[in-house]
Amino acid sequence: MTLQFNVEGGDFARAGYASSQIKKILKEIGVDPDVIKHVVVALYEAEVNIVAHAYHGVITADIEKEGIRIVLDDAGPGIPDIPRAMERGYSTASPEVREMGFGAGMGLPNMKDNTDSLDIESVVGKGTKVTMYNKFE
Amino acid sequence: MKLSEIVRLTGGTVVCGERHIDENVDYAFASDLMSDVLTLRITDFLLITGLANVQAMRTAEMSDLKYLLFARGKQVTDDMVELADENGIMIISTPYSVFRTSGILYGAGLKPVY
């Protein structure tokens, strides 16, 4: 099963909608609640990142028998230094993002902690592609 | 601790999810930083926060937590109530600050997550 969602940069009112929809489907098909929590925490952080930093993005989730692969592909400023962005506490978020309860440099580390694999490719001035995978067992 | 007791001790009001009023919760966590909340592994706790917005509701949804207490009398919008109802989340509002609320509930025996 493949699901796709568009995410608009700056649309904080809708941030989390895709994560919410994917969570509902994982519940419906009977995925373990602990696994669902890991998936949606990582996904929600990534979705908020698109809203916070990019112009727009597409989230594609492939649900297979053994696990879920989610690709978040955005058009945005890109990440100049990925290892630095992965450091806990490093953030380039705007004051607006901080007012939303994010932007403390915990998003990418949280994503890594909650996925079985996390891959980030980024081109400065073009955008970022995040691929995450979680096994169901 | 019963949710009804939490409401009483904090001079709070139940905004939605009244049906949870007789349930019990043992742990609480206070934060305005949603990424912090998202690091928690447990789900059965009360979140005390001064951040009253849709992202607090989404964070509660992703964290599977059922009880949210908004401090400092923050305005709870219709969008937030809608998300709470959709996800079976109880919202309590208190005029007290996060510090005062946390102190009262800690003193009354509600345990910290850490």
Side-chain angles (χ1 to χ4, degrees), chain A residues 54-111:
Chain A
Y55 314 129
H56 60 87
V58 177
I59 298 176
T60 308
D62 279 309
I63 303 171
E64 295 151 9
K65 200 178 166 204
E66 292 82 18
I68 178 167
R69 180 178 311 281
I70 304 173
V71 178
L72 301 101
D73 202 356
D74 75 50
I79 306 171
D81 187 344
I82 293 173
R84 183 130 196 244
M86 292 299 296
E87 286 172 16
R88 251 170 242 281
Y90 178 75
S91 176
T92 58
S94 65
E96 191 191 6
V97 174
R98 290 171 202 269
E99 278 170 23
M100 291 291 144
F102 292 90
M106 293 176 68
L108 291 177
N110 269 359
M111 284 156 61

Side-chain angles (χ1 to χ4, degrees), chain A residues 12 20 23 37 44 101, chain B residues 34-35 40 55 61 64 86:
Chain A
F12 286 103
S20 177
K23 181 180 182 182
K37 183 165 175 181
Y44 179 49
Chain B
M34 295 302 108
S35 284
L40 302 179
Q55 296 320 313
E61 179 187 357
D64 286 329
E86 199 181 306

